[in-house]
Amino acid sequence: MDMDFMKRALEISGRGEGRVNPNPLVGAVIVKGGRVIGEGWHEYYGGPHAEVNAVRNATEDVRGSTIYVTLEPCSHYGKTPPCAELLRAKGFGRVVVAMKDPNPLVAGKGIEILREAGIRVDVGLLEKEARKQNEIFIKYILTKQPFVIMKSAMTLDGKTATSEGESKWITGKESREYVHRIRNRVSGIMVGIGTLLTDDPSLTARTEGGCDPVRIIVDSRLRIPMSAKALHVPGRTIIATTEDYDRKRYEELEELDSVEVLVSGKSGSGVDLKHLMSHLGAKGIDSVLLEGGSELNWSMINEGLVDKVMTFIAPKILGGCESKTPVGGDGFSGLDDALVLNDIEVTRFGSDTLIEGYVKRGDNDVHGTC
């Protein structure tokens, strides 16, 4: 039964997707006499935590009951009081925790408070699932750098467009709908100027009740046209450029309230992407969905900035030596240098196949256990 209740806690925690960043997704289920008497989740950034909502929603006295929580109850005063103190005061008999909080401000202290109060605490139930659900939070809280997901869609022969540049649509409706769910989940969505000039995307999350991510456009010389859709839809846009930017275009963009132009140093002939990631992290952008194109994808890979890869493959063949592929640039010179993925998952969306995995790094990889 423990596993069923924790699965339920993980299920409801997902309801906070896109609304709690850069805080974690957390769900809580209160059980008494084998019955669920209360549930709650972290609903929005700055709002009550999952444990608080579960206690408020309880249909009877929680004293002596068990609470299943997907993340260790907090032990410090932030935007809300400590949840560990709440659980102690309410007289819970047992607390089941999926994973310890990686936040250095907590890091086992919440569990310690509960155990010192004589409450039984069990840790580690469905930990792998909990870590994956909060992979964004784990990296961000430890590094203050965004968790970067490189997403691409291609044909069976690895093409992202025809030889004439046509790319709409490589994949089917089901795949595209899922991508919009991912956009709703992350804080930022990033493209290069080549993609913007070719496709003129809005870069929004077209899901009911969804939240649009911050649009991030890498444009080393400010070639973005003032008519670009991304400049005129609701929300924020960050344009990363270099000192080679077009002065007139800079002045025009600065007049738009929703646009920030970030002048970065150079890395080679383009934007210093490491500086850009640090800047985004400092702004509370905990995650970035990288949607290319191929040159930007290569630059991000080459700089070691990609954490996760999601590739949708459509059962189509286009051919064409000049047709674009998901990753361009110079490429790696040898097979031993290739980017390797761990923890591979394969999912079907209609006739398309999604392959996703995590970039293999050293033993100290903060999200390698997801």
Side-chain angles (χ1 to χ4, degrees):
M1 294 296 287
D2 278 353
M3 189 168 294
D4 291 335
F5 294 134
M6 187 61 80
K7 284 181 179 177
R8 176 60 181 170
L10 286 166
E11 177 186 344
I12 62 175
S13 68
R15 297 177 184 177
E17 286 182 350
R19 295 170 176 81
V20 302
N21 306 57
N23 280 353
L25 297 166
V26 186
V29 173
I30 302 173
V31 177
K32 193 171 187 178
R35 298 171 292 108
V36 174
I37 64 169
E39 294 184 341
W41 63 93
H42 187 29
E43 298 177 5
Y44 58 91
Y45 177 71
H49 288 185
E51 300 93 323
V52 175
N53 287 329
V55 169
R56 288 177 178 174
N57 294 333
T59 56
E60 59 185 88
D61 185 8
V62 300
R63 187 167 297 277
S65 61
T66 297
I67 185 168
Y68 297 81
V69 191
T70 59
L71 185 70
E72 176 185 356
C74 62
S75 59
H76 66 289
Y77 283 87
K79 291 185 176 296
T80 60
C83 291
E85 296 288 357
L86 171 69
L87 300 186
R88 179 169 67 175
K90 290 294 182 180
F92 278 89
R94 181 182 177 219
V95 179
V96 183
V97 177
M99 63 171 285
K100 289 185 178 180
D101 193 334
N103 185 347
L105 292 174
V106 184
K109 296 175 184 175
I111 293 170
E112 184 180 345
I113 288 172
L114 295 169
R115 286 177 172 162
E116 286 180 352
I119 299 171
R120 175 182 169 185
V121 183
D122 298 318
V123 183
L125 181 64
L126 298 182
E127 180 178 1
K128 183 176 181 180
E129 291 81 356
R131 289 182 65 85
K132 180 170 183 179
Q133 187 177 65
N134 270 316
E135 60 194 12
I136 289 172
F137 171 73
I138 292 170
K139 180 184 179 183
Y140 184 72
I141 201 67
L142 292 176
T143 69
K144 295 305 178 186
Q145 297 280 315
F147 184 88
V148 178
I149 305 167
M150 188 184 85
K151 189 279 295 182
S152 59
M154 68 181 190
T155 61
L156 201 58
D157 58 335
K159 308 299 183 182
T160 59
T162 69
S163 57
E164 299 296 321
E166 182 182 352
S167 61
K168 295 183 179 178
W169 295 102
I170 293 289
T171 53
K173 180 181 178 182
E174 294 93 338
S175 296
R176 299 198 300 274
E177 287 177 347
Y178 185 65
V179 169
H180 284 288
R181 285 174 54 192
I182 300 169
R183 288 184 178 186
N184 172 60
R185 189 182 305 165
V186 299
S187 295
I189 179 171
M190 188 164 79
V191 298
I193 185 60
T195 296
L196 186 133
L197 293 174
T198 300
D199 298 336
D200 192 21
S202 298
L203 302 178
T204 55
R206 293 185 284 278
T207 56
E208 185 176 351
C211 302
D212 289 334
V214 176
R215 295 173 291 276
I216 305 153
I217 300 163
V218 180
D219 181 3
S220 61
R221 289 182 287 140
L222 288 188
R223 292 189 289 151
I224 184 171
M226 294 303 296
S227 60
K229 291 178 184 177
L231 299 178
H232 302 288
V233 291
R236 296 165 55 203
T237 301
I238 295 174
I239 303 176
T241 190
T242 68
E243 58 267 25
D244 295 334
Y245 65 81
D246 180 294
R247 266 52 181 177
K248 181 175 184 298
R249 184 55 41 84
Y250 178 88
E251 293 173 359
E252 293 172 331
L253 291 167
E254 283 287 285
E255 293 180 2
L256 300 177
D257 292 337
S258 61
V259 175
E260 174 192 350
V261 179
L262 169 66
V263 181
S264 171
K266 273 189 176 183
S267 178
S269 60
V271 170
D272 184 336
L273 296 171
K274 289 183 177 179
H275 174 260
L276 173 59
M277 291 299 108
S278 295
H279 176 82
L280 297 177
K283 284 185 165 294
I285 297 175
D286 64 357
S287 49
V288 170
L289 182 63
L290 173 62
E291 295 204 4
S294 64
E295 296 300 314
L296 179 58
N297 285 348
W298 164 251
S299 295
M300 289 288 287
I301 287 173
N302 197 39
E303 292 285 355
L305 297 173
V306 174
D307 297 291
K308 185 176 183 178
V309 175
M310 303 181 70
T311 302
F312 293 85
I313 304 173
K316 303 172 182 176
I317 294 177
L318 284 176
C321 293
E322 302 302 320
S323 300
K324 290 284 188 180
T325 61
V327 182
D330 295 332
F332 295 111
S333 59
L335 285 174
D336 289 342
D337 301 320
L339 190 76
V340 177
L341 303 182
N342 281 336
D343 300 324
I344 303 298
E345 290 189 6
V346 179
T347 311
R348 291 292 299 274
F349 290 94
S351 60
D352 302 330
T353 301
L354 167 63
I355 300 177
E356 56 186 321
Y358 298 86
V359 174
K360 182 177 180 180
R361 294 199 172 98
D363 294 337
N364 295 322
D365 183 8
V366 297
H367 54 272
T369 58
C370 294

